[in-house]
Amino acid sequence: MGINKDLTTTLSGVKLDNPVIPASGTFGFGYEFTDFYDINILGSISFKGTTKEPRYGNPLPRIADCKSGLINAIGLQNPGVDKVISEELPKLRSCFKKPLIANISGFAIDEYVHCCKLMDKEEQVEIIEVNISCPNVHNGGMTFGTNPEAAAEVTRAVKAVTTKPVYVKLTPNVTNIVEIAKAVEAAGADGIVLINTLLGMRINLKNKKPVIANKMGGFSGPAIFPVALRMVYQVYEAVKIPIIGVGGIESAEDVIEMMLAGASAIEVGAANLKNPYACKEIIDNLPAAMEKYEIDSLKDIIGAAH
Amino acid sequence: MNKRAKFKIIENVNIAKDVFKIVLEGDTKDIKNAGQFINIELESLYLRRPISICDYDDKTVTIIYKVVGKGTEIMANLKNGVELDVLTGLGNGFDLDCDGDRPLVIGGGVGTPPMYRLCKDLIAKGKKPIVILGFGSKDDLFFEEEFKKLGVDVYVSTNDGSVGTKGFVTDVMKDLNDYTYFYACGPMVMLKAICGATDKSGQVSLEERMGCGFGACMGCTIKTKDGYRRVCKEGPVFRKESLIWE
């Protein structure tokens, strides 16, 4: 390449070599991807959403293909926080030496608190990502993310048990994203992650039934990029804390556009499932794309569209 | 090492009702075992389409698929010379170490293709496989001759009796008693019936709707006696003893 560009960015004091972070739920616990490339090129990893108890998730089928994206209804399958810490994180640590983002979920506030307390002790975890936006679980996840008071309450409870930066991942399935973002900021959130998947569904024409066993699921992929970009743009104007932009990003140009809207870093989700090399290709292509658009440092363009 | 590679179509032919065979030319070094699959990117579809490997050599992969939806419809219309973006060598594949030297190899419908390479590999290990192929009807039948050319005993069953034994593969199994182990791939109902019809040990290859095909999304996880297992990563081949039939 030979182009000297500054890809670094910072999230609440956590320095990242570049803004590219695989999104939780699309990258397992990272080590699966060492079959494809050295994952140490990544800025960070937001690993698989972790809950207090082990979870199988929803019945199969829980994946549906769509035009420009996919629907998933996994339902937070994970081995539970104890096993994530004792079995998965050591495996991830052995192949990844950068800061980690721990994505935590729950069905009651005390479950978020429980996971957060344990993740707080993990040295490599430098940011806690609080998922109050999963559309695939009942009585939890998204219910916290669609109500400003509930979102604030989770945020406060988690903040009380960790000194690490707390980033709250919000759902786009709300009337007023700005209201929710302001509520979590006021409750002490150090940052916001925008957006989780959009609630969607598909119907099988042959058997005339929903494709997904759980009927509905979270829609992600390039089709949702404009929605994510719009929400990042709106929220950037309303809050002072950093934003991680996520939703349909699949190229270096998308990263630049998302950062112009106001994101300090970005997460790549669905693209990892279609192309396991997606994050690597984005990172490889960033310097040339920056050169093309006359950008020397990515930090300089955060929110520049405003 | 799972790798992505470009593969060129050198053959795409109709071999039975709605069933096609594609021969792809490309780098096959990441394919290690019979029973593994490849995941193919198709224009205008977001997710790749996973298809089991029927056979392979140093520079070609053969796959057989039935047109059942949009993805396979697109595949059926692909012309020779078209280049495809493919992830190869996915999944665990069959373990050739089995009890005795007379393994029963059972394929049902489009579950038949991976059993072809398996048969070849078993023969190369000095085993003497017995093959049962199950289809709906005569029009659905394929690869009977190819299996026979391997020099193995081949039995066929069809639901309507238009070829071979009328009924299911398990109806053929009833009359066979000298097999020592079994391998099977086909519809879930068939696999369940097979596992219930024999006290021999065996391995079955499962099919599930997948997201990524390489273990990242947890889209295809099943519950087994050994815990949750991803069909794409720890499977698609599972030991009979670890499966839970619901």
Side-chain angles (χ1 to χ4, degrees):
Chain A
M1 194 71 67
I3 307 171
N4 193 18
K5 295 291 180 187
D6 182 4
L7 304 192
T8 61
T9 191
T10 306
L11 294 170
S12 308
V14 178
K15 290 193 173 66
L16 306 184
D17 290 344
N18 64 65
V20 180
I21 307 164
S24 180
T26 64
F27 213 71
F29 289 95
Y31 55 84
E32 285 87 352
F33 281 77
T34 56
D35 281 350
F36 300 108
Y37 60 90
D38 178 0
I39 59 175
N40 285 293
I41 61 161
L42 299 166
S44 175
I45 294 173
S46 177
F47 57 78
K48 179 72 186 156
T50 298
T51 53
K52 186 181 176 197
E53 305 295 337
R55 285 182 57 80
Y56 169 70
N58 292 317
L60 306 180
R62 49 195 197 184
I63 294 282
D65 199 15
C66 303
K67 279 178 190 148
S68 298
L70 75 143
I71 291 172
N72 89 79
I74 307 301
L76 298 174
Q77 183 194 329
N78 79 96
V81 67
D82 292 341
K83 272 201 170 158
V84 166
I85 287 171
S86 65
E87 291 176 15
E88 301 292 348
L89 292 190
K91 278 196 249 177
L92 174 50
R93 242 192 321 272
S94 71
C95 56
F96 187 67
K97 309 298 178 194
K98 302 274 188 78
L100 284 175
I101 299 176
N103 180 291
I104 59 166
S105 267
F107 297 85
I109 287 176
D110 65 346
E111 293 182 13
Y112 283 98
V113 167
H114 178 86
C115 291
C116 185
K117 273 183 188 164
L118 294 176
M119 288 300 177
D120 185 66
K121 294 182 200 141
E122 292 299 304
E123 203 182 331
Q124 201 179 354
V125 171
E126 297 205 25
I127 291 174
I128 312 276
E129 183 176 88
V130 181
N131 178 9
I132 55 167
S133 45
C134 178
N136 292 321
V137 293
H138 296 292
N139 309 316
M142 205 172 83
T143 10
F144 292 109
T146 50
N147 176 314
E149 286 80 41
E153 202 182 336
V154 177
T155 308
R156 270 192 299 272
V158 171
K159 273 296 286 181
V161 295
T162 182
T163 54
K164 293 182 174 174
V166 168
Y167 278 53
V168 183
K169 187 169 181 182
L170 300 182
T171 172
N173 303 303
V174 293
T175 314
N176 187 345
I177 191 73
V178 169
E179 186 187 20
I180 311 266
K182 283 167 116 171
V184 298
E185 182 186 41
D190 298 283
I192 289 172
V193 185
L194 281 170
I195 58 177
N196 205 317
T197 54
L198 288 145
L199 194 60
M201 78 181 292
R202 297 298 310 272
I203 293 170
N204 180 328
L205 301 187
K206 280 184 189 159
N207 68 15
K208 302 176 178 59
K209 297 274 188 268
V211 172
I212 301 267
N214 212 30
K215 297 189 179 76
M216 293 165 212
F219 178 48
S220 62
I224 75 164
F225 179 74
V227 178
L229 188 79
R230 181 265 293 180
M231 290 191 163
V232 168
Y233 188 90
Q234 285 178 314
V235 169
Y236 181 81
E237 302 218 320
V239 303
K240 295 191 168 59
I241 51 179
I243 300 166
I244 300 177
V246 49
I249 292 171
E250 51 180 20
S251 68
E253 286 76 11
D254 294 342
V255 175
I256 292 171
E257 198 173 340
M258 192 59 93
M259 293 185 79
L260 287 168
S264 294
I266 62 90
E267 290 182 4
V268 177
N272 293 312
L273 307 182
K274 180 186 178 70
N275 172 14
Y277 298 89
C279 287
K280 177 181 175 7
E281 289 172 3
I282 290 171
I283 294 165
D284 289 348
N285 292 336
L286 264 170
M290 289 167 72
E291 178 71 13
K292 184 175 175 189
Y293 297 102
E294 300 174 338
I295 300 160
D296 289 325
S297 165
L298 284 179
K299 282 193 291 284
D300 296 344
I301 66 162
I302 298 167
H306 293 265
Chain B
M1 196 78 167
N2 303 323
K3 284 284 285 283
R4 185 177 54 164
K6 292 285 180 200
F7 279 79
K8 191 196 279 182
I9 296 180
I10 55 173
E11 191 182 341
N12 189 5
V13 290
N14 185 212
I15 58 167
K17 190 182 165 213
D18 299 329
V19 176
F20 291 77
K21 178 177 97 169
I22 286 184
V23 182
L24 294 165
E25 195 177 64
D27 185 351
T28 61
K29 71 173 186 305
D30 293 303
I31 304 171
K32 308 287 183 212
N33 299 313
Q36 287 189 300
F37 65 95
I38 62 175
N39 212 0
I40 307 171
E41 184 173 281
L42 295 168
E43 214 181 314
S44 85
L45 295 181
Y46 192 70
L47 292 175
R48 292 168 184 268
R49 292 302 190 266
I51 309 279
S52 64
I53 294 165
C54 173
D55 200 7
Y56 63 97
D57 59 27
D58 291 347
K59 51 182 188 301
T60 68
V61 181
T62 301
I63 55 171
I64 291 174
Y65 59 98
K66 185 172 184 176
V67 176
V68 290
K70 212 177 239 175
T72 42
E73 229 165 70
I74 292 170
M75 285 171 64
N77 289 307
L78 293 173
K79 301 276 180 277
N80 288 355
V82 169
E83 265 205 342
L84 297 171
D85 184 295
V86 176
L87 300 176
T88 75
L90 301 176
N92 59 351
F94 291 103
D95 182 349
L96 299 178
D97 282 325
C98 62
D99 303 333
D101 64 354
R102 287 288 272 166
L104 194 53
V105 173
I106 312 163
V110 274
T112 299
M115 310 321 270
Y116 180 69
R117 178 62 190 223
L118 171 66
C119 239
K120 278 180 149 182
D121 289 353
L122 287 169
I123 292 165
K125 275 205 83 174
K127 310 274 183 184
K128 298 184 192 66
I130 311 160
V131 174
I132 309 177
L133 306 177
F135 293 96
S137 178
K138 193 178 85 184
D139 297 341
D140 304 313
L141 176 74
F142 61 87
F143 257 53
E144 184 188 5
E145 288 310 312
E146 281 80 353
F147 276 98
K148 280 183 175 163
K149 277 181 203 153
L150 299 178
V152 295
D153 295 332
V154 180
Y155 299 87
V156 172
S157 73
T158 50
N159 299 357
D160 64 0
S162 50
V163 191
T165 304
K166 182 174 169 24
F168 301 102
V169 292
T170 41
D171 293 309
V172 179
M173 281 173 77
K174 273 185 235 159
D175 301 324
L176 299 172
N177 43 33
D178 65 335
Y179 65 90
T180 52
Y181 193 82
F182 77 91
Y183 294 95
C185 183
M188 284 300 257
V189 282
M190 181 191 100
L191 298 176
K192 186 179 175 180
I194 292 168
C195 289
T198 177
D199 53 7
K200 299 284 192 299
S201 213
Q203 297 168 38
V204 302
S205 179
L206 303 182
E207 184 177 49
E208 263 314 330
R209 192 177 278 262
M210 291 174 186
C212 61
F214 48 84
C217 74
M218 319 285 159
C220 61
T221 308
I222 57 162
K223 293 174 185 170
T224 74
K225 289 175 189 161
D226 307 311
Y228 305 151
R229 293 289 183 268
R230 295 163 294 189
V231 171
C232 72
K233 186 81 178 178
E234 287 87 27
V237 178
F238 293 89
R239 289 181 189 281
K240 169 193 166 183
E241 290 74 17
S242 75
L243 291 173
I244 299 167
W245 300 103
E246 285 172 3

